[in-house]
Amino acid sequence: MNARVDVLNAGSNVFVTGATGLIGGELVRALVQQPVGKVWTLIRPSPDADPAMRLVQRLRRSGSSDGTLGVHAVAGDVRLPHLGLAADDLDEIRRDADIIIHSAAETSFIRAAACRQTNIVGAQNLIEFARSARRRPLLVCLSTAYVSGAVANVCLSETSGLGDAHHNEYTRSKAVAEDLFRSSGLPVLEVRPSIVLSAGLPDEQFARAILGFVPWSTVFEALPVDPAARADTVPVQFVVQSIVRLLQVPRRKHDCYHISAGTQDSACYAEFSAVVDRFYGRPRPLQLIPPSQWTRELHRRCIATPRQRRAFGQLRNYLPFLNMNVLYDNARLREELGDRFPELPPLASYFGELLALMAKPRLTVAS
């Protein structure tokens, strides 16, 4: 059996799941710019595109025109036994993989069954796959800082534990997956990004994936959002650079890291709202009212028209997260990376660009 390689270097062969997603696609782009061995990506075929074409389509969303960048796209699905891999691909990756980066996830706030199938069953299948691998690969699990659950008004470290109560099945299923990985007995590195924004990418769909609720706010005069609550947001390149640089550190001190803005670089919703007001040219600023002061009378007055009720229904799933006021301490990451800690630009430096990318609001709510 070959010695295990858990530091990213010219001899490392890397297997990546979730390469068509925001973070996974950017990780693939970053990996091929490093000294690295072979890189495989697990991609579900679609009716109109094979895995290689789907990878090309994803990389084009980042502005890349270099095809698959020499990456080997293999057909599969984390929800299936043996990851749905063909026999030849299964044998090769099990034999040669040194590092597995698991980025595949269902991130919907409303598709509970899909979250359980992809995030929990997918974790179980990946664990079985890693156990059968010859080199005992390092399993890098992209989790989320929100495995902390339904907590509020706190700054959390990685040792704060996983929450029992959750606002939705997405964060609960990711917490279950973390437990599975941690109890597997395999070499595991857990990375927990906070809210990841697609700053720097020219793709409107990625921008809307997180900020799609922002245009809905234009139909309201007030919303039950605490203006003093802070949001822990980071740009995708900061996340990717942090993961790659962590993998290049020999003898890491920990097996779990927040990739977050923490207390130094977070912003409050009053600041966000002011930018949104200016961008959309609101005649009067949107009033942000702490939920504790949001009365039934206020709700009836502010959510009065069919258009507002429809938009509020879309916004409802985001409100618990907007009002959490939870930050995630990144001291571990700063200490581990030292002077290689990536640049962490403030949200104000790129938030307007993301709003412009989404363009003027194209509301789907009915009048």
Side-chain angles (χ1 to χ4, degrees), residues 87-110:
D88 289 348
D89 293 330
L90 179 65
D91 290 343
E92 179 186 32
I93 299 171
R94 280 198 302 202
R95 182 187 67 233
D96 295 338
D98 298 296
I99 298 172
I100 299 172
I101 301 179
H102 180 42
S103 179
E106 173 59 67
T107 61
S108 171
F109 284 8
I110 60 175

Side-chain angles (χ1 to χ4, degrees), residues 25-309:
E26 295 309 292
L27 270 170
V28 168
R29 295 179 68 214
L31 283 170
V32 298
Q33 296 173 24
Q34 312 298 319
V36 70
K38 194 167 185 176
V39 177
W40 305 269
T41 60
L42 183 76
I43 297 178
R44 281 183 290 171
S46 68
D48 55 352
D50 63 15
M53 179 52 64
R54 288 201 66 205
L55 180 59
V56 168
Q57 292 169 346
R58 165 60 187 89
L59 296 177
R60 284 174 180 164
R61 296 175 68 183
S62 298
S64 174
S65 58
D66 297 329
T68 60
L69 306 176
V71 175
H72 302 269
V74 297
D77 189 332
V78 297
R79 300 172 298 181
L80 300 176
H82 306 301
L83 308 182
L85 288 163
D88 289 348
D89 293 330
L90 179 65
D91 290 343
E92 179 186 32
I93 299 171
R94 280 198 302 202
R95 182 187 67 233
D96 295 338
D98 298 296
I99 298 172
I100 299 172
I101 301 179
H102 180 42
S103 179
E106 173 59 67
T107 61
S108 171
F109 284 8
I110 60 175
R111 293 192 293 270
C115 286
R116 289 189 290 271
Q117 188 69 21
T118 299
N119 300 341
I120 298 176
V121 175
Q124 293 168 332
N125 290 335
L126 199 71
I127 288 167
E128 290 307 310
F129 174 83
R131 282 176 174 157
S132 70
R134 180 181 301 179
R135 301 189 183 192
R136 201 165 184 259
L138 173 69
L139 188 50
V140 184
C141 309
L142 266 73
S143 186
T144 172
Y146 289 86
V147 292
S148 57
V151 295
N153 305 315
V154 67
C155 181
L156 299 174
S157 72
E158 292 87 345
T159 60
S160 299
L162 307 184
D164 295 322
H166 290 266
H167 291 303
N168 59 41
E169 189 63 16
Y170 163 60
T171 62
R172 192 196 76 84
S173 64
K174 294 296 281 185
V176 172
E178 272 206 24
D179 275 338
L180 290 170
F181 288 125
R182 190 169 291 279
S183 62
S184 69
L186 295 166
V188 170
L189 172 63
E190 293 172 346
V191 290
R192 295 176 178 170
S194 54
I195 302 169
V196 183
L197 300 179
S198 59
L201 300 189
D203 187 83
E204 179 184 333
Q205 189 175 355
F206 279 143
R208 286 185 173 275
I210 297 295
L211 298 177
F213 67 89
V214 172
W216 303 336
S217 68
T218 60
V219 306
F220 303 107
E221 294 183 5
L223 282 172
V225 174
D226 186 348
R230 303 184 77 81
D232 196 316
T233 61
V234 288
V236 64
Q237 296 307 327
F238 170 77
V239 174
V240 168
Q241 290 170 20
S242 296
I243 293 171
V244 170
R245 293 176 190 184
L246 273 175
L247 286 173
Q248 293 170 335
V249 173
R251 296 179 296 279
R252 288 174 294 273
K253 298 182 181 68
H254 307 283
D255 60 8
C256 181
Y257 295 84
H258 284 156
I259 303 183
S260 56
T263 57
Q264 298 182 37
D265 298 288
S266 59
C268 68
Y269 286 112
E271 297 173 65
F272 300 160
S273 185
V275 176
V276 173
D277 288 341
R278 289 193 298 270
F279 181 83
Y280 290 116
R282 292 182 63 104
R284 290 188 300 275
L286 175 68
Q287 296 180 61
L288 299 182
I289 299 175
S292 61
Q293 300 173 25
W294 186 260
T295 64
R296 290 184 179 180
E297 176 55 34
L298 262 176
H299 189 91
R300 283 194 296 268
R301 188 169 74 243
C302 298
I303 317 296
T305 70
R307 189 184 195 195
Q308 289 171 336
R309 287 193 290 270

Side-chain angles (χ1 to χ4, degrees), residues 275-350:
V275 176
V276 173
D277 288 341
R278 289 193 298 270
F279 181 83
Y280 290 116
R282 292 182 63 104
R284 290 188 300 275
L286 175 68
Q287 296 180 61
L288 299 182
I289 299 175
S292 61
Q293 300 173 25
W294 186 260
T295 64
R296 290 184 179 180
E297 176 55 34
L298 262 176
H299 189 91
R300 283 194 296 268
R301 188 169 74 243
C302 298
I303 317 296
T305 70
R307 189 184 195 195
Q308 289 171 336
R309 287 193 290 270
R310 182 79 173 272
F312 192 80
Q314 298 288 335
L315 186 63
R316 189 185 301 274
N317 292 314
Y318 293 87
L319 289 175
F321 290 89
L322 295 177
N323 286 304
M324 283 176 66
N325 192 31
V326 174
L327 302 177
Y328 299 94
D329 184 23
N330 62 17
R332 268 191 185 181
L333 185 67
R334 287 181 180 274
E335 179 186 9
E336 191 72 87
L337 296 184
D339 59 7
R340 298 195 73 221
F341 185 81
E343 179 185 3
L344 181 51
L347 181 66
S349 69
Y350 59 84

